[in-house]
Amino acid sequence: MKLGMLTACLPQLTLEEIAAWAAGAGYEALEVACWPDTGGRDFEAAHLPVANFGPADVERTHKCFADHDLTLSALAYYENNLHPDPVRRAEIRTHLTRTIDAAAALGVPYVGTFVGRDWTKPVRENLAEAEPIFRELVDYAGERGVKIIIENCVMEGWHPDGYPGNLAYSPELWEWMFSLGLYLNWDPSHLVWIGIDPVTTIAPYAERIVHAQAKDIQLDPAAVNRYGFFGKAVDRPNPWDVGWWRYRVPGRGQVDWDAVVDALYEHGFTGTLSVEHEDPVWGGDVTRVEQGLSIAHRTLRPLIVA
């Protein structure tokens, strides 16, 4: 097992800058964010130019990782592959296939994304629509030696009423997507707030958990008594502000990391545990984000065999 980090939390920095910092901070791997370059917008990280990824980009990327003795664990493009707007859905698919092509060129085994959801349709119709889409994507990736990994994030902010916007949030849905040839980028934080014990989900699905993300979560029991499980309904200007929980860096929330890492080892996980930093306390600027990543490293590093 390696301890890594997802680069998406540092969209202001180049991949070379992140690699230098991560290596100095003791990280061993990077999960590299590959959203499209939108010309300076700092919300989505574009750390590899996958849309036009040529031999020079391959050579430069390999040199960057070799210089800093890091592993490139996965490429990340987490978007809604079932977006209800057909034009937007086609854009997402095109960029995802380019990300797969870049992973193949680099020899990276995994590309991470979301199943997503057309929020105008019920779950049953979404699953039926998704099956041919993802079978084709799995075949496309497999022909290039790449596996598609799906993060089990609920993506409640994608749904107009805060319901699940990514149909990969529960073991029931994992079994459906595994039948299509997909794998899991397992994240315990999302399981906690929907009432699932993360540790119990490792053993049954160990063969499909090939990459994992380390994100913590902090619950507010008093707030859930006011808003209920689905969160704020009347005053919710930010669709991601559920009101009764927030993400934290590992060590600042309620995930039992001793139990998580122990279970991953027990059931044969040899991939990368990649810190995904979305902690509002340790956010806002590069310095605070790096401090949060350092907290995560101090929490997790003692648990991982050198």
Side-chain angles (χ1 to χ4, degrees):
M1 194 187 308
K2 292 183 183 297
L3 180 57
M5 54 169 277
L6 174 60
T7 67
C9 59
L10 292 166
Q12 311 92 326
L13 302 186
T14 66
L15 181 58
E16 289 75 12
E17 290 169 333
I18 295 172
W21 183 88
Y27 282 97
E28 301 167 283
L30 295 181
E31 180 184 2
V32 177
C34 296
W35 276 262
D37 187 346
T38 56
R41 187 174 62 180
D42 64 359
F43 176 71
E44 293 174 339
H47 288 137
L48 279 181
V50 299
N52 298 286
F53 203 69
D57 298 301
V58 173
E59 183 178 353
R60 182 166 52 251
T61 305
H62 280 155
K63 183 178 186 305
C64 173
F65 278 78
D67 287 348
H68 298 292
D69 194 23
L70 291 169
T71 297
L72 205 174
S73 66
L75 300 188
Y77 177 53
Y78 288 93
E79 266 294 355
N80 187 355
N81 286 282
L82 299 179
H83 199 288
D85 179 349
V87 174
R88 180 67 184 130
R89 185 186 293 194
E91 291 173 349
I92 291 167
R93 181 183 177 86
T94 296
H95 194 76
L96 179 58
T97 57
R98 288 171 176 170
T99 305
I100 293 167
D101 292 341
L106 289 165
V108 176
Y110 309 120
V111 167
T113 191
F114 290 135
V115 171
R117 178 179 186 169
D118 178 345
W119 55 82
T120 70
K121 299 177 181 178
V123 170
R124 185 179 298 276
E125 289 183 25
N126 269 270
L127 299 185
E129 192 169 333
E131 290 192 7
I133 292 170
F134 278 95
R135 289 190 192 280
E136 185 176 333
L137 285 169
V138 166
D139 288 346
Y140 184 91
E143 290 166 0
R144 290 155 179 79
V146 176
K147 291 182 173 67
I148 297 176
I149 56 176
I150 304 293
E151 184 188 349
N152 55 289
C153 184
V154 183
M155 296 305 289
E156 65 288 343
W158 278 349
H159 193 285
D161 291 318
Y163 303 148
N166 173 38
L167 298 178
Y169 56 86
S170 66
E172 176 189 28
L173 288 163
W174 300 351
E175 291 169 5
W176 163 80
M177 70 183 198
F178 294 159
S179 72
L180 307 180
L182 297 162
Y183 290 79
L184 188 61
N185 193 6
W186 182 86
D187 185 328
S189 66
H190 308 300
L191 296 167
V192 171
W193 80 266
I194 63 172
I196 297 173
D197 178 354
V199 175
T200 66
T201 69
I202 294 173
Y205 306 106
E207 291 185 358
R208 289 282 168 166
I209 300 174
V210 294
H211 198 275
Q213 289 186 331
K215 185 161 74 261
D216 218 325
I217 190 167
Q218 183 178 34
L219 309 183
D220 182 347
V224 76
N225 286 338
R226 171 172 172 76
Y227 298 119
F229 179 84
F230 298 105
K232 295 179 179 180
V234 176
D235 183 16
R236 189 170 172 170
N238 178 354
W240 303 102
D241 181 12
V242 174
W244 64 271
W245 58 263
R246 61 181 180 175
Y247 294 128
R248 301 302 309 273
V249 293
R252 294 295 186 268
Q254 293 166 240
V255 173
D256 184 344
W257 292 104
D258 281 13
V260 163
V261 174
D262 190 51
L264 288 171
Y265 271 121
E266 180 180 0
H267 298 288
F269 181 76
T270 58
T272 296
L273 182 60
S274 179
V275 173
E276 183 182 17
H277 183 344
E278 295 182 350
D279 187 330
V281 176
W282 295 101
D285 59 49
V286 170
T287 298
R288 292 284 287 181
V289 170
E290 290 176 346
Q291 289 170 336
L293 290 167
S294 295
I295 292 169
H297 183 273
R298 289 199 301 271
T299 299
L300 298 171
R301 181 67 264 175
L303 307 179
I304 297 175
V305 177

